[in-house]
Structures are given as C-alpha cells and as structure tokens.
Amino acid sequence: MSESIKYVLSENDIPSFWYNIVADLPQPPAPVLHPGTGNPITPDDLAPLFPMAVIQQEVSQEREIEIPEPVREVLRQWRPSPLYRARRLEQALDTPARIYYKYEGVSPAGSHKTNTAVAQAFYNKEEGVKRITTETGAGQWGSALALAGAFFDLEIEVYMVRVSFDQKPYRRAFMETFGAKCIPSPSEHTQSGRAILEKDPKSTGSLGIAISEAVEMAAQRDDTKYALGSVLNHVLLHQTVIGQEALIQFQMADDYPDTVIGCTGGGSNFAGIAFPFIGRKLRGEQDVDVVAVEPANCPTLTKGKYAYDFGDTAHLTPLVKMHTLGSTFVPPGFHAGGLRYHGMAPLVSQLSDLGIIKPRAYGQKSCFDAGIVFAKAEGIVPAPEANHAVRAVIDEALECKNAGTGKAILFNLCGHGHFDMQAYSDYFAGKLYDQDYDESEVAMALAGLPSVAAG
Amino acid sequence: MSESIKYVLSENDIPSFWYNIVADLPQPPAPVLHPGTGNPITPDDLAPLFPMAVIQQEVSQEREIEIPEPVREVLRQWRPSPLYRARRLEQALDTPARIYYKYEGVSPAGSHKTNTAVAQAFYNKEEGVKRITTETGAGQWGSALALAGAFFDLEIEVYMVRVSFDQKPYRRAFMETFGAKCIPSPSEHTQSGRAILEKDPKSTGSLGIAISEAVEMAAQRDDTKYALGSVLNHVLLHQTVIGQEALIQFQMADDYPDTVIGCTGGGSNFAGIAFPFIGRKLRGEQDVDVVAVEPANCPTLTKGKYAYDFGDTAHLTPLVKMHTLGSTFVPPGFHAGGLRYHGMAPLVSQLSDLGIIKPRAYGQKSCFDAGIVFAKAEGIVPAPEANHAVRAVIDEALECKNAGTGKAILFNLCGHGHFDMQAYSDYFAGKLYDQDYDESEVAMALAGLPSVAAG
C-alpha cells in the first residue's frame, strides 16, 4: 500500500487534559463584566446559569485541566478522530502543498460540538442538574447537546432559531431521536420571546434571541442550567482535544503544519484545532501561521470592533470584550448558520487583536465552489461552515503551486453537511448568492454598544 | 480507562481478498438462465452490461479473490470500519448478552454500499467504460456509486424511484455533489420508462422499473455499462470485507459471535457480515447462528417462493433462482426503501432454503421503536433498514435476560439515518404505520412467474 492517507490513534491516545491557552497568552484576558455595575463578574453571578466546575474552567489560568474519566469514556465512542492526508485533493489541485485535515464529522452528532456537549453535560449531572436549556442556529450544537443529554440522562431543551426550525425539520427529528425537546424561537415560553413576537408575530428569530430565551428559562428553575456551544473560554477549552490529537498524528506523519486553518463563527472549532499549535508558538517551541476564516457577510474579526458587548439580543448575558458587529445586528441569511453570530470568542478576538492569528473573510458562493472540489476529491461533503476553511486551504495550496513551493497545511473539517443539503441543492439550482451585509446596520449596532465598552 | 468499546484496525488490516462462499456451499448455486432460451447464460450474454472481470467474479468458484490494490487504496479512506461493543445498549437493556456491531455508516456515502461501488467502478474504468447507469431506491446505492464515480472519473447516471426522488431531494443533491446525474424513474429517457408513463403518467415508480431503465440505457451504448448494488454474487462478494474485518476484531476482543444478524433487502449487507462466519461454519471450523431480518410487508425469505424469476419489472434481466414475491409485485410503501425489493440474492436464498440461515420478519413500527432505543444508548441514528437488524438484536438480548444466559451477538449497522429523518419525524408525529402487503397481489405475481421457473 502506498503512503498513508489517514492517521488513526487508539482510545488511549485521547488526551488526558484540556489545553488552556490563557496560561500562554502574553497578557491576561480582559475580565468579563457585570452589565449593571460594570465590575468584573464573580463566580456567584454565573452560578444560576452554569455548574461551578464549568465556571472555574471559565476563569482558570492553569495550562492543563484534567479531563474527567467519564467524559473520556464517552469521547472514545468516536475519538480520537482521524487526521487525513488529502492526497486526492492535492492531486486534483496539482499542488506541491501537503494538505491535512482533522475530521470531526465522525462524531455521531456530526460535528466537533459534541466535544464540549459531553463535558458540559457531565459537569451539570455531577452537580445535580436535571435539565439544560440552550439555543441552536443551524442545529449542530443542539444535536450535540441532545446526544450528550441522552448519554447522561438529562432533559435537554433547545431553542432553535425559527427560520432554521422551519427549513431544517430533520435537525429537529434528529434531536428528538435522542430525547431532546426542540422549540422554535422566538417562542411564547419566555418573556424575551413574547416581547419579540408582540412586535413582530412573524419573527424568524436569531441566535441572539434564542440565547435570551434559553438563558431566561435556565435562570427560572433551580434544577435547570444553561449551556453555550461556543464563544466562552470553557467551550474553547473542551475543543482542544482536536489540536492535541493532531499534534500526535503529525508525529506519526513525521511532519508539522506550516499553516493551520479553521472557520470561525463563535470560535470554538477554530480554537480546538489551533490553540495547541498556537501554544507551542507562544512558548517558542515551534512557529506556525494561523488563519481564521469567517463569512464575508458576518465579518466579525475583519470588520467588527474589539469592544465590550452583550452575547445576546435581550441583553441578559454579561459583557465580554470581543470582536463584535453589535448585539442588535442581524446578519443577512446565508447557509453557514453556525457562523452567523454578531460576536467572536474573547480569546480568539484577543489573539486576532495581537496579530497572532490572521483573519480572512470569504463569500459563501466561493466557499461552496471549494467544498464541491473537496467533496469530489475526498468523498466527504463538508458542512457549509467548514467550506469556509476549505476555501482558504485551496487558495493557500494554489499559491504554493504558483510559487512552486510546498508547505504543510492543516485544517479542521469540523462537520459533515448531511443536514445541510438544501444549501447544496440551492447551489446546483443556481440559487445560492452572496448577499452583502448592511454597513449602516452594523454602524447603528456598534453605536449602541454598552457604555462600559469604553472601559 | 475501562474495557474497550471499539476495536479499530489499521489500514494494513483491510483484507487482501474477498471471500467467495460458493467454494464452501454443500451444492453449487443454480445457474442463471437466459429468459429466451431457458439455457444457462454465458459470459458473453452479460458482456453488454458488465465488465468481464465482474462477470468472472459472478461465476467464480474460487474461495479467495484478490482485491486489486487501487480498490484497497480507496477503501482505506474509511476502512477498516470499527467494530463496537454496545456496552451502553447492554446496560440499557440490562442484559447479560454481549452485543457487538460493525458500523458501516463511517463510509463517506453513509452505508456499506460503497464497498462494492468502488470495486465495480474500478473494473469498469479498467475496461475503458466511460459511463455507468444504475437504479436507486432510498438513495444509498446511488450515493455510493456517485462517490465511486468521482474517485474513478466515471460518469454516473442514477435512475431514482420517483417517489423517493420527490421525498428525498437531499439524496439527489448529495449525488450531484459528487458529479452524478440523478433522474426520476419512470422517465422519458427509456422505452421501459415511456411504456410505464403511457399507462400511468403519475407513476411513482419502483425499484423493478428503475432497474429496467438503467439496464436499457446501458445496453444502448458501447461506452456504458450497468451496475447493481445488491442481489448478484459479485456484489455480495465485495461486501465480505465487513465480516472478514469483524473476524480479526473478534480476536482482539477475545470473543466470537454466537449469533450474527443482518437485515436483508437484496441481501448484500447481510452477506457482507455473515458469509465469512457462515464459511467457517460450513468448513466445520466454528458454529454460529445466523439470522436474516426482513420487513414484514416485503417478506421475501419468509413468505416468498424459491423459484426462477426476473430481477426487474420490464423483464430485461436474466432469470435467477431466488426467493421472490414475483417481479410484478409492488410492495407497499414503507421507510426502509433499501429492503423494498421483490426478490432476494440467490446465494442468500439458497442458504435460507438449506436451513443454514434463519429468516425473520418485523413490521417497521417495532423496528423504529428499537432504533430509538439504540440511538439513545449508542448515539448513532440507524438507517431504517438497519433498524430491522436492531429489532432482532434487542429481542435476542432480552431473551438472554429472561433466560439469564449471556451470549455474543454481532450485527451489521449497515448505515446511518441522516438522510432518512423524515421517517423519524413521521414516527414522532405518530404517522408511521405498519401497512400489510396484499396477499392476493403476491399470489398473482407468483402465478405469473416465468414458465422456466419449473426447471
């Protein structure tokens, strides 16, 4: 058999700890602020929403945080995920670049989201929580938490952005198969939802609104907490198993990435693949270029402001310092629902602000062009979110071809597109367009940033 | 970490040969007959439809047939597939049984079908074929051949049963992503299709009709051949990598199945998992019980006649001796489209006739009940076809519980249900029923068996 195309690890190679990049940052992250007082929030402020173990992780400065054995027990159902060498794609592009991808679609919920869903479900269960509420856009996060709920015997209630709920009935059925409840948002269940529906009974919802509803429900009952699928430090932390496994797999391949690429919505899959490599760079062990790819019509890192903002529309969340387009900005509809968020993970924002990672934005049409080249070569249909990473990879590989120099490129294929085929149908029917975002809307949303943002 | 839940092999453990059960049968298979003359067909008769290498495999009596290196090259993209120990399902059922499943959903097309699609595409390419036509019901076979076509740069034309084409637009998009053409059947492209549409312009199609269309198209052009996704000997042969890998994986687990279970539509996923174990039984090496599970409303093995019949509706195919409900019988609609075929693989039929395997039939409702228990425990949503196997596994495991005795049960989880979520939606909405087949229709179809059937 010729040279390897996939690097497979044994169950024992699942990392025993999560990597916390905070320990290696040149300066500590900006504190999370209480929206009322403008003071840094305390663990007690967050206790109604999150289990204490998760809150401790959110503010931890330890480099390594142990992964509990029951979490590893569940992760080994599909982890370690394979690292692929995309030899067929390299041939198709006729590039001297060596392209690698970590494939997180092997998770039974179809994406990287399961890595943190399992951890969060475990900590909630440990602390006696009976029910977790959350929001979901395209449905990958809701599916992952539904799965984790089945494994840890927790009730899961998912507020799904109305437009996605209607467009993707199969996501709902998928969550229900695992026993979760899926509610279109805005709903009549919450004050936040009712307030929106009163103004606009036909509201198609947004991620910001769905977060408000899930947070409100969690705050109401002692046996209920809330879980977020991206943005926060602990979520990014739980994803670092991806990059850590990749480090071992690159040893097997006797190679090391020159460039690491991930798509960024809230920032968690990007952090999962990139942080362990960035940590080595920050510690002076090995250099690497890191590219964060975002959608051109929700260009948080490339066009947003680095400032304090709310995570949700109803302003129920604390204030975090991040790249933001403004919490009231509603991005135009496009198919990568997982990238359609006004903000960006504070840690990813900080790295971008420091110039340690390079953001780049693409329109969805060119991302689907790339995704189809990838699918034909490698046999896997990527999720629309992942197509953004694929676009950047192909561009880098073609640059290598033009320059006549090879380099190793690693990217995170964060999920498959099995539940996103409507996007591909639209593409083939010539109905997939690039819709510009409205710059004046962003300007208005940014003008409305909370005053503490100046701090 | 506690005891293993998955047994993972390296690329080098992909079998180097396919296992041909014909070598171990107590008597040779009944010959395939020419429908006109009633005489055994010759390789030349089949040459317009299949490449010669495939025809040779169809009639081979060699026990081991080498897998060409370029085929193994492609298979290693996802093979060897994992063998799982379903510890969480065992706990949920509180059974002393040891339940194992081989998971073929890891294939990028989502099912075992890719194993033969890749082999058939390779042999066609080798013999200079430019285009392959085929039929598909639920879409798993069409997807697999589309993928293989992309890998070997072949045009793929898929005739998809009209009702599925309309109900499952995402399957079509999936095939198109790999560059295949997907045409609803009956179509205006063929004489067979036009004849059906003339009688019934709103015909929803059937697998038998789609086969007729694909065969007709292949026979018309020299650069075009036809590929079948199940039933024939060579297709079953290509699936034996599944059971062969499982044999190695059971050595790793230091166990051996007492019972092997697979669902049967055309018979290929069943053969893939079971034949290598049946071979060991036939050679007196190790005993095993084997259960073939079919849908109660298309009960080919349990209620059909073991006789010569056509494979298609328009009677363009040769005659094969198999369990059949009659080639003109149209099974009632149910969700496991892959099991909705009037016939059964001749080799599986023969084994059933000899009492070497035990057939069993279940209604779809109870199969979905089982599938949801499985999904909640193991995290994977099975294809509706695979739910039939799951139902039998759970029944066996509960019997073990009642009897207080453990045994090892192996089944083939032949595919995931990501493209079949409408069935799960219907289930949760209380709209999934068991519809009896019409016994008088079967009687009529059987009365119309070709006269040579007496032979």
Side-chain angles (χ1 to χ4, degrees):
Chain A
M1 224 168 261
S2 73
E3 291 165 305
S4 284
I5 58 166
K6 70 179 194 286
Y7 302 92
V8 176
L9 301 172
S10 87
E11 287 175 19
N12 299 325
D13 293 316
I14 294 175
S16 54
F17 61 87
W18 290 300
Y19 165 66
N20 183 7
I21 199 168
V22 171
D24 291 320
L25 288 178
Q27 56 207 58
V32 176
L33 303 182
H34 191 289
T37 65
N39 294 327
I41 53 160
T42 64
D44 282 352
D45 292 332
L46 293 173
L49 291 186
F50 300 107
M52 200 44 74
V54 161
I55 295 170
Q56 280 160 3
Q57 289 177 0
E58 186 62 23
V59 297
S60 169
Q61 310 207 355
E62 296 293 317
R63 181 173 289 115
E64 299 186 352
I65 294 174
E66 199 188 340
I67 305 179
E69 206 45 44
V71 172
R72 296 182 77 216
E73 275 283 327
V74 174
L75 292 183
R76 69 195 176 123
Q77 186 88 11
W78 67 93
R79 300 211 75 85
S81 69
L83 176 76
Y84 280 99
R85 171 83 184 267
R87 292 189 190 272
R88 228 177 268 110
L89 178 62
E90 293 168 15
Q91 281 163 22
L93 300 174
D94 188 24
T95 175
R98 304 182 302 287
I99 303 173
Y100 297 86
Y101 58 98
K102 186 82 170 153
Y103 184 38
E104 290 295 308
V106 295
S107 142
S111 81
H112 67 290
K113 294 285 187 191
T114 330
N115 297 324
T116 184
V118 169
Q120 293 193 55
F122 166 76
Y123 288 121
N124 275 286
K125 185 72 181 182
E126 281 285 287
E127 297 189 18
V129 172
K130 302 275 179 248
R131 192 173 69 142
I132 303 179
T133 60
T134 197
E135 72 291 330
T136 201
Q140 290 204 332
W141 165 241
S143 300
L145 195 65
L147 178 75
F151 283 170
F152 287 101
D153 196 20
L154 289 160
E155 278 178 59
I156 304 294
E157 199 169 287
V158 181
Y159 289 83
M160 185 166 185
V161 176
R162 176 98 228 180
V163 60
S164 297
F165 182 90
D166 290 339
Q167 281 173 352
K168 304 191 180 192
Y170 298 159
R171 271 288 178 196
R172 175 196 179 177
F174 193 64
M175 293 181 232
E176 286 180 345
T177 303
F178 296 123
K181 215 162 129 186
C182 181
I183 300 147
S185 164
S187 78
E188 293 286 351
H189 294 220
T190 66
Q191 231 175 323
S192 326
R194 287 190 297 270
I196 299 279
L197 288 172
E198 210 163 290
K199 275 190 247 166
D200 177 9
K202 289 188 176 167
S203 166
T204 53
S206 77
L207 219 37
I209 296 168
I211 293 176
S212 298
E213 291 209 274
V215 166
E216 185 183 325
M217 288 303 284
Q220 272 171 24
R221 266 169 54 175
D222 278 351
D223 66 351
T224 304
K225 300 229 182 269
Y226 166 74
L228 191 69
S230 192
V231 180
L232 297 180
N233 298 0
H234 69 272
V235 181
L236 276 55
L237 178 79
H238 298 157
Q239 295 296 353
T240 57
V241 291
I242 302 171
Q244 287 188 76
E245 287 173 6
L247 277 169
I248 309 174
Q249 288 162 318
F250 268 95
Q251 282 175 359
M252 290 169 76
D254 197 19
D255 205 345
Y256 196 84
D258 297 292
T259 305
V260 176
I261 296 174
C263 63
T264 46
S268 78
N269 98 77
F270 169 81
I273 190 95
F275 280 10
F277 290 93
I278 296 174
R280 285 176 53 83
K281 176 189 176 111
L282 291 173
R283 295 192 302 273
E285 294 170 19
Q286 195 146 6
D287 199 20
V288 70
D289 289 328
V290 182
V291 180
V293 190
E294 61 183 15
N297 44 14
C298 188
T300 326
L301 285 171
T302 51
K303 300 282 179 66
K305 190 168 169 185
Y306 186 43
Y308 274 100
D309 197 4
F310 290 96
D312 72 325
T313 304
H315 296 176
L316 303 179
T317 69
L319 296 170
V320 294
K321 193 168 182 191
M322 60 179 176
H323 280 84
T324 178
L325 297 164
S327 66
T328 57
F329 170 62
V330 178
F334 55 95
H335 282 290
L339 307 184
R340 216 170 142 260
Y341 182 62
H342 70 272
M344 179 55 62
L347 288 172
V348 174
S349 296
Q350 188 179 355
L351 289 166
S352 185
D353 190 56
L354 291 169
I356 296 168
I357 64 172
K358 302 271 178 270
R360 188 186 296 181
Y362 287 108
Q364 66 176 350
K365 174 87 175 44
S366 77
C367 295
F368 274 85
D369 292 342
I372 283 156
V373 169
F374 181 86
K376 283 188 179 155
E378 296 292 313
I380 299 170
V381 177
E385 290 81 4
N387 280 344
H388 289 72
V390 175
R391 174 75 272 166
V393 168
I394 290 181
D395 284 0
E396 294 280 324
L398 292 177
E399 255 180 48
C400 285
K401 182 182 175 179
N402 290 338
T405 55
K407 67 175 183 178
I409 303 167
L410 165 65
F411 78 100
N412 197 21
L413 185 57
C414 57
H416 60 62
H418 298 174
F419 292 94
D420 306 283
M421 294 311 297
Q422 187 58 50
Y424 286 88
S425 289
D426 288 354
Y427 177 90
F428 291 119
K431 289 188 214 157
L432 191 128
Y433 309 105
D434 286 318
Q435 193 189 338
D436 282 345
Y437 71 99
D438 187 331
E439 290 191 27
S440 67
E441 272 186 38
V442 168
M444 207 152 64
L446 288 176
L449 283 182
S451 56
V452 69
Chain B
M1 223 168 260
S2 73
E3 291 163 306
S4 285
I5 57 166
K6 69 178 194 287
Y7 301 93
V8 175
L9 302 173
S10 88
E11 287 176 19
N12 298 325
D13 292 317
I14 295 175
S16 53
F17 61 87
W18 291 300
Y19 165 65
N20 184 6
I21 199 169
V22 170
D24 290 319
L25 287 178
Q27 57 208 56
V32 176
L33 303 183
H34 192 287
T37 64
N39 293 328
I41 54 161
T42 64
D44 283 351
D45 291 330
L46 293 173
L49 291 187
F50 300 107
M52 201 44 76
V54 160
I55 295 170
Q56 280 159 4
Q57 290 177 359
E58 187 61 25
V59 297
S60 170
Q61 311 208 353
E62 296 294 316
R63 179 173 289 115
E64 300 185 353
I65 295 175
E66 198 187 338
I67 305 179
E69 207 45 45
V71 172
R72 295 182 78 215
E73 275 282 329
V74 175
L75 292 182
R76 70 194 175 125
Q77 185 89 10
W78 68 93
R79 301 210 74 86
S81 69
L83 176 77
Y84 279 100
R85 171 81 185 268
R87 291 189 191 272
R88 228 178 266 112
L89 179 63
E90 293 169 16
Q91 281 163 23
L93 300 174
D94 188 25
T95 175
R98 304 182 301 287
I99 304 174
Y100 296 86
Y101 57 97
K102 186 82 171 155
Y103 184 37
E104 291 294 308
V106 294
S107 141
S111 81
H112 66 291
K113 294 286 188 191
T114 329
N115 297 324
T116 184
V118 168
Q120 293 192 55
F122 166 76
Y123 288 120
N124 275 287
K125 185 73 180 182
E126 281 286 287
E127 298 189 18
V129 172
K130 302 276 180 245
R131 193 174 68 142
I132 304 178
T133 60
T134 197
E135 72 290 329
T136 201
Q140 290 204 331
W141 165 242
S143 300
L145 195 65
L147 177 76
F151 283 170
F152 288 102
D153 195 21
L154 288 160
E155 277 177 60
I156 304 293
E157 197 170 288
V158 180
Y159 288 83
M160 186 167 185
V161 176
R162 177 98 227 178
V163 60
S164 297
F165 182 90
D166 290 339
Q167 282 174 350
K168 305 190 179 191
Y170 298 159
R171 271 288 178 197
R172 176 195 178 179
F174 193 65
M175 294 181 233
E176 286 180 346
T177 302
F178 297 123
K181 213 163 132 187
C182 181
I183 299 147
S185 163
S187 78
E188 293 285 352
H189 295 220
T190 66
Q191 229 176 325
S192 325
R194 288 190 296 270
I196 299 280
L197 287 172
E198 209 163 292
K199 275 190 245 164
D200 176 10
K202 291 188 175 167
S203 166
T204 54
S206 76
L207 218 37
I209 295 168
I211 294 175
S212 298
E213 291 207 275
V215 165
E216 186 183 325
M217 288 304 284
Q220 273 172 23
R221 267 170 53 177
D222 277 351
D223 66 352
T224 304
K225 299 229 182 266
Y226 166 74
L228 191 68
S230 191
V231 178
L232 296 181
N233 298 0
H234 68 273
V235 182
L236 276 54
L237 178 79
H238 298 157
Q239 295 295 353
T240 57
V241 290
I242 303 172
Q244 286 188 77
E245 288 174 6
L247 277 168
I248 309 174
Q249 288 162 317
F250 267 96
Q251 282 175 358
M252 290 169 76
D254 196 20
D255 205 345
Y256 196 84
D258 296 292
T259 305
V260 175
I261 295 174
C263 63
T264 45
S268 77
N269 98 77
F270 169 82
I273 190 97
F275 280 11
F277 290 92
I278 297 174
R280 286 176 53 83
K281 178 189 173 113
L282 291 173
R283 296 192 301 274
E285 293 169 20
Q286 195 145 5
D287 200 19
V288 69
D289 289 329
V290 181
V291 181
V293 190
E294 61 183 13
N297 44 15
C298 189
T300 325
L301 284 172
T302 51
K303 300 282 178 68
K305 190 168 168 185
Y306 186 43
Y308 273 100
D309 196 4
F310 290 97
D312 73 324
T313 305
H315 296 176
L316 302 179
T317 70
L319 296 169
V320 293
K321 193 170 181 189
M322 61 179 175
H323 280 84
T324 178
L325 297 164
S327 67
T328 58
F329 170 63
V330 179
F334 56 94
H335 283 290
L339 308 183
R340 214 170 143 260
Y341 183 62
H342 71 272
M344 178 55 63
L347 288 173
V348 174
S349 297
Q350 187 179 355
L351 288 166
S352 185
D353 189 57
L354 292 168
I356 295 168
I357 64 171
K358 302 271 178 267
R360 189 187 295 181
Y362 287 107
Q364 69 174 349
K365 175 88 175 45
S366 76
C367 295
F368 274 84
D369 292 341
I372 284 158
V373 169
F374 181 85
K376 283 187 179 156
E378 296 293 314
I380 300 169
V381 178
E385 291 80 4
N387 280 343
H388 289 73
V390 175
R391 173 76 272 166
V393 168
I394 290 182
D395 284 0
E396 294 280 323
L398 293 178
E399 255 180 45
C400 285
K401 181 183 175 180
N402 291 337
T405 55
K407 67 175 183 177
I409 303 167
L410 165 65
F411 77 99
N412 197 21
L413 185 57
C414 57
H416 61 62
H418 297 174
F419 292 94
D420 306 284
M421 294 312 296
Q422 187 59 49
Y424 285 89
S425 289
D426 288 354
Y427 177 91
F428 291 120
K431 290 189 215 156
L432 190 128
Y433 310 105
D434 286 318
Q435 192 189 340
D436 282 346
Y437 69 99
D438 188 331
E439 290 191 27
S440 68
E441 270 186 40
V442 168
M444 207 152 65
L446 289 176
L449 283 181
S451 56
V452 69

